[in-house]
Amino acid sequence: METRCRGYDSALSLRELLSGIPPDKLSSVLALLLGGPARIISADGAWVMGNVLPLAGKVEKWPLVYDLEVTGYLEAVADGAKGQAAASMLELILLSGARYYMASELHLEVVKTDYEELQRRHAALQESEARYRSLAESLEERVNEQVSTIESAHRCLYQAEKLASVGQLAAGVAHEINNPIGFIRSNLGTALSYLQKIQSMSQQIKSSGNVELLNIWQSADLDFVLEDFVSLLQESMEGADRVARIVADLKDFSNVDRAAEEVVDLNECIRSACNVAANQVSSHADLKLELGVLPLLRCRAGHLSQVFLNLLLNAAQAMKERGEICIRSSVADGQIVIRFIDTGCGIPDEIIHRIFDPFFTTRDVGEGTGLGLTVSRDIVVSHGGHIEVDSKAGAGTTFSVYLPVNQ
Amino acid sequence: MADFDEAARKLTIKLVYYGPAMSGKTTNLMRLHDLLSPDLKGEIMTLETQNDRTLFFDVLPLGFRTSSGMLVKLKLYTVPGQVAHDATRKAVLSRADGVVFVADSQRTQGVNNSESFQNLEDNAYRVGLDFETLPLVVQFNKRDLPNILSEEEIRERWSAAPWPLMMASALAGRGVRETFMRLLEVTYPVLDRNFLLHKDHDMDARAFIAAVAGG
């Protein structure tokens, strides 16, 4: 193959041109045609076919022309016409051999080029396939990225909506309650001062000696009435004060418009969350606050209040029977740690790794969205902190919020 | 690149007729066989055809001896014009010393002509021929047919091209010899530079062309 592949247009020797012909048969045909032995030699006299030894007698020689050149000779002891005819026949055989040789060489060349071209295309295809595969892979990655972006946008929206609706409610309540509670408190104060005037009158009535008036006084038990009246009014005033404080807390808590950062004592946020949730919590559990002294923190207080409220309400809802919720705040190693420790039902091991997943909830349809903890974690993470959970089924759960103290 | 066998004192030159399918490449060769009469002239060898369409190539050998005793052989090849036979075309074009591009003058063949010419340029590059310096003559064949581009149109379209333009009607034998002579003219300088035809073999352009044309 190596030696043969010289190109279809290369020069061919006599031996090559005759290579497709069985030498014995051609020799015997020539011997018959010429009436005696014959031999074919190359242009430079080398033996190619027929009698190996030079012929004896009157040897004639006819040139064999191929491709404009004498490529060899036919030798025989024969007359001129026969020899010429045999030489012409040999030339036709040479031509036919050349055609075959050229065709096959060209065919080989073409096949080789086609094969190389195919390989080149194959390589190009493989390359493009690899490119598309990597595109497809990154496509999946990009879709996942988009999905997580959408999920987080969804959570932000949920949180914003929730905070907005709480804020709206708080603003409405503040507006509607503040005024009446104001005048109720003021009126109660006035009423108390009026009562003191009436009490001072009782001394005069008693010392006046008017028996009839004293009898009426005593039968109506006005001494007790006056005394009780004072404490009634004082209790009412305390009640009004409490209402006013709750409204103020609600306002504080829901101050969602202040998404901008402010410097706060997180204990205040905890207290206001407790006040807001007091009603829901008190029916399920006793609330114990163990608040340590915390450094002031620059944070989005409204958002963190939301976290505390979520954790507190979760703790309350975890109570199968009346239990205890303890909120403990402290600072250590540059971190504020706030723990919500409940004695509720605990979280089973098989779902504990999913509780922060969006839309994961153990509550009945309609009772919880499954976003509370997700949003809480997002908020804490956005403050550079994290939430840890430790739970024992049946014994209770502790959520720990870690927040780095700002430098 | 022509093949010079120093021991045998033999120079083999390869000239290729290129062009789109059915533009008359083989007809050019057949006419040349009749029109030229150098000292040595072989028969056209047709390798393979199908319905008169060349599948491999045709080759016409011509030759003469210089006064210095060197044998000069010219081998005229045609390529298969059909698009499918590009690998064959490429193989035939390789090692060419000169090319005649046979274009079809019919108005309907413009696209085929330009695609084939582009293919010639591409294949020349692939087989390692410098298309800028490759001796090339462009022949517009089939001048005898109706509905052809006029010579003025052709010359205007090709005015920016550096190659000689020849008009021919191969079927009638017109312009065929002229095209070939023109190819020899543009090919001779390259051969002379490489093989010192003039200096070593006393063969200038005129003598070279006369020897090939014969008569």
Side-chain angles (χ1 to χ4, degrees):
Chain A
M1 186 71 200
E2 284 291 308
T3 50
R4 281 267 291 165
C5 204
R6 297 175 303 177
Y8 64 92
D9 52 358
S10 53
L12 297 171
S13 68
L14 181 60
R15 210 175 282 277
E16 284 169 320
L17 290 168
L18 285 172
S19 64
I21 313 282
D24 301 346
K25 283 192 176 172
L26 186 59
S27 301
S28 56
V29 167
L30 284 174
L32 269 176
L33 286 176
L34 298 167
R39 66 195 301 250
I40 298 171
I41 56 171
S42 67
D44 51 16
W47 172 86
V48 175
M49 201 179 278
N51 264 31
V52 181
L53 297 171
L55 301 172
K58 191 178 176 294
V59 177
E60 292 276 345
K61 203 169 160 185
W62 296 273
L64 300 173
V65 176
Y66 161 71
D67 195 27
L68 311 179
E69 288 180 80
V70 175
T71 187
Y73 297 94
L74 170 66
E75 286 182 345
V77 183
D79 72 64
K82 274 188 183 172
Q84 190 52 53
S88 297
M89 185 199 71
L90 279 174
E91 281 177 359
L92 289 176
I93 289 174
L94 295 184
L95 208 59
S96 162
R99 279 187 75 215
Y100 173 80
Y101 179 86
M102 288 172 104
S104 60
E105 281 301 307
L106 183 73
H107 177 71
L108 284 177
E109 259 184 64
V110 166
V111 165
K112 188 161 162 269
T113 334
D114 281 347
Y115 181 66
E116 279 164 3
E117 175 69 9
L118 271 178
Q119 278 194 319
R120 200 184 57 72
R121 287 193 194 175
H122 179 66
L125 266 177
Q126 276 186 322
E127 192 185 311
S128 99
E129 192 200 342
R131 203 166 55 236
Y132 279 113
R133 188 177 296 147
S134 86
L135 254 175
E137 275 164 11
S138 72
L139 184 70
E140 198 169 313
E141 235 165 69
R142 277 157 62 185
V143 166
N144 287 341
E145 212 169 274
Q146 283 291 316
V147 166
S148 82
T149 307
I150 290 168
E151 269 179 5
S152 105
H154 193 152
R155 295 205 292 272
C156 288
L157 194 66
Y158 164 82
Q159 182 196 2
E161 264 179 19
K162 192 168 172 184
L163 288 174
S165 61
V166 170
Q168 248 175 356
L169 186 67
V173 167
H175 183 73
E176 292 301 325
I177 294 181
N178 262 350
N179 278 343
I181 215 73
F183 65 73
I184 285 173
R185 207 195 170 289
S186 153
N187 289 355
L188 287 173
T190 312
L192 197 62
S193 72
Y194 290 171
L195 202 56
Q196 278 160 353
K197 282 182 186 168
I198 295 172
Q199 270 177 331
S200 70
M201 221 178 72
S202 78
Q203 297 302 324
Q204 289 173 357
I205 289 170
K206 281 176 188 167
S207 59
S208 72
N210 187 329
V211 178
E212 198 181 348
L213 207 58
L214 266 174
N215 283 343
I216 295 169
W217 187 276
Q218 275 165 357
S219 69
D221 200 6
L222 282 181
D223 276 334
F224 172 77
V225 167
L226 281 174
E227 201 179 316
D228 198 35
F229 206 164
V230 169
S231 58
L232 284 184
L233 285 178
Q234 277 170 342
E235 280 171 27
S236 298
M237 280 169 75
E238 275 171 29
D241 282 347
R242 261 178 64 195
V243 170
R245 198 174 63 241
I246 289 171
V247 168
D249 279 342
L250 198 58
K251 239 174 95 183
D252 262 3
F253 170 77
S254 66
N255 224 332
V256 286
D257 302 336
R258 278 180 305 168
E261 296 192 331
E262 56 187 318
V263 178
V264 294
D265 181 352
L266 285 184
N267 286 336
E268 290 309 314
C269 295
I270 294 170
R271 282 194 195 96
S272 85
C274 290
N275 284 334
V276 170
N279 193 40
Q280 279 155 287
V281 173
S282 61
S283 58
H284 290 90
D286 297 318
L287 187 57
K288 206 166 90 185
L289 296 184
E290 294 176 7
L291 305 179
V293 178
L294 298 182
L296 293 179
L297 187 71
R298 174 171 290 280
C299 62
R300 288 180 296 279
H303 289 177
L304 286 176
S305 298
Q306 172 85 48
V307 172
F308 302 147
L309 182 66
N310 280 340
L311 294 176
L312 187 57
L313 292 178
N314 278 350
Q317 276 159 346
M319 299 296 171
K320 286 267 161 55
E321 52 201 34
R322 195 168 179 80
E324 190 187 84
I325 299 171
C326 177
I327 304 178
R328 200 176 287 161
S329 69
S330 61
V331 59
D333 298 333
Q335 286 196 114
I336 293 172
V337 186
I338 299 160
R339 295 183 205 281
F340 292 73
I341 306 153
D342 71 58
T343 57
C345 58
I347 304 167
D349 283 348
E350 57 269 28
I351 62 163
I352 198 157
H353 64 282
R354 297 181 57 197
I355 57 171
F356 290 107
D357 289 354
F359 307 109
F360 176 78
T361 181
T362 56
R363 291 176 204 147
D364 292 336
V365 174
E367 283 190 18
T369 56
L371 280 174
L373 282 176
T374 314
V375 169
S376 296
R377 188 193 50 188
D378 286 354
I379 291 171
V380 172
V381 167
S382 77
H383 282 84
H386 64 281
I387 298 184
E388 282 177 8
V389 59
D390 182 25
S391 185
K392 199 176 251 180
T397 305
T398 299
F399 278 94
S400 306
V401 175
Y402 295 83
L403 292 164
V405 178
N406 323 120
Q407 297 304 311
Chain B
M1 183 67 186
D3 178 45
F4 181 54
D5 184 345
E6 199 152 7
R9 292 183 60 72
K10 183 166 76 181
L11 177 66
T12 308
I13 300 159
K14 181 173 183 178
L15 302 169
V16 175
Y17 277 67
Y18 209 94
M22 307 285 276
S23 64
K25 299 175 289 295
T26 303
T27 312
N28 259 279
L29 235 58
M30 287 158 66
R31 287 291 165 272
L32 283 174
H33 178 259
D34 300 341
L35 290 166
L36 303 175
S37 47
D39 295 349
L40 303 164
K41 181 165 77 174
E43 292 302 314
I44 292 182
M45 187 193 284
T46 297
L47 248 68
E48 192 63 58
T49 58
Q50 190 177 58
N51 305 329
D52 272 354
R53 317 281 296 266
T54 305
L55 287 187
F56 279 19
F57 58 82
D58 305 320
V59 58
L60 169 63
L62 304 169
F64 61 88
R65 272 193 195 278
T66 63
S67 56
S68 62
M70 179 172 70
L71 173 64
V72 177
K73 275 206 253 182
L74 294 94
K75 293 202 170 185
L76 280 57
Y77 288 84
T78 62
V79 299
Q82 295 171 79
V83 177
H85 298 306
D86 193 47
T88 311
R89 224 174 1 258
K90 199 179 117 187
V92 173
L93 183 64
S94 65
R95 301 179 288 274
D97 295 295
V99 173
V100 173
F101 181 79
V102 183
D104 191 324
S105 295
Q106 295 179 92
R107 290 189 176 274
T108 52
Q109 298 300 310
V111 174
N112 288 344
N113 287 337
S114 55
E115 277 176 0
S116 178
F117 195 81
Q118 184 59 50
N119 178 255
L120 167 62
E121 187 176 347
D122 293 345
N123 277 338
Y125 170 75
R126 285 192 212 141
V127 300
L129 293 173
D130 181 4
F131 194 64
E132 300 296 316
T133 57
L134 177 70
L136 174 66
V137 173
V138 176
Q139 179 194 74
F140 270 82
N141 192 16
K142 307 199 186 180
R143 301 307 299 165
D144 53 318
L145 290 186
N147 202 18
I148 52 171
L149 291 168
S150 71
E151 197 174 331
E152 291 71 38
E153 282 176 287
I154 293 169
R155 293 209 179 274
E156 198 196 313
R157 284 186 194 183
W158 287 73
S159 59
W163 307 286
L165 288 179
M166 306 297 289
M167 302 296 143
S169 171
L171 215 54
R174 280 199 303 273
V176 170
R177 183 188 164 102
E178 290 75 3
T179 303
F180 184 61
M181 295 297 116
R182 195 79 179 84
L183 177 66
L184 294 179
E185 277 173 37
V186 296
T187 309
Y188 176 83
V190 182
L191 297 172
D192 187 38
R193 202 159 45 244
N194 290 320
F195 305 107
L196 305 172
L197 293 180
H198 195 184
K199 188 164 162 283
D200 289 2
H201 303 283
D202 192 26
M203 176 142 278
D204 62 7
R206 186 188 293 266
F208 178 77
I209 292 165
V212 178

